[in-house]
Amino acid sequence: MELDKVSKRLSELAANKPNRYSVEEVDSALESKHEGIQVCAAKTLGAWGDEKSIEKLKNRLEKISKLPARWGAVSAMSKSLAPHLKQNDIDWVLSLYLNSSNPHNRFSLSVLLMSLPKIETLRKLELKLNQGGVDPKDVRYAKAIIQKSAI
């Protein structure tokens, strides 16, 4: 497999609306053993931006963020996903950031925190802190990131 050709093909697919064949191609690339190909597929999903593509992107980000030392891939996938997040994604992002991701990848997830509605996200972070089950240092760090964001 020539990785350059595959990544170029995925970029080409991103410029068009998804169809059955392109979706299959991107789904296959998302499962590639090559992290760079997975990232290209994730960028294509983000470019498409439809509900199914965003759900697939979220699922891939959940999986890869659990693995150790995946900063680059987590960052690229987060940047592709961030523009598509809505207020109803706050709980998912906070759970990913505070509970299910590998702590070494959390900085790369920061762009997700910064793309959420500030006031509601800070309120939910405070609730999580009061409920327990999260590291207070992680909550403080997340709050600092959100407070610096423009949204």
Side-chain angles (χ1 to χ4, degrees), residues 124-150:
K124 289 196 174 197
L125 266 173
E126 200 59 42
L127 286 172
K128 285 201 170 280
L129 183 61
N130 293 335
Q131 292 169 350
V134 294
D135 186 335
K137 288 188 300 187
D138 290 336
V139 173
R140 283 193 301 274
Y141 187 68
K143 286 170 82 172
I145 291 167
I146 294 164
Q147 288 168 339
K148 290 180 183 177
S149 69

Side-chain angles (χ1 to χ4, degrees), residues 58-87:
K58 288 166 82 174
N59 289 335
R60 173 50 60 188
L61 182 57
E62 278 185 59
K63 288 178 184 176
I64 202 159
S65 70
K66 291 177 183 180
L67 302 173
R70 294 298 195 275
W71 317 285
V74 170
S75 179
M77 290 182 188
S78 294
K79 287 176 185 174
S80 294
L81 179 59
H84 303 285
L85 294 176
K86 298 177 176 75
Q87 184 164 339

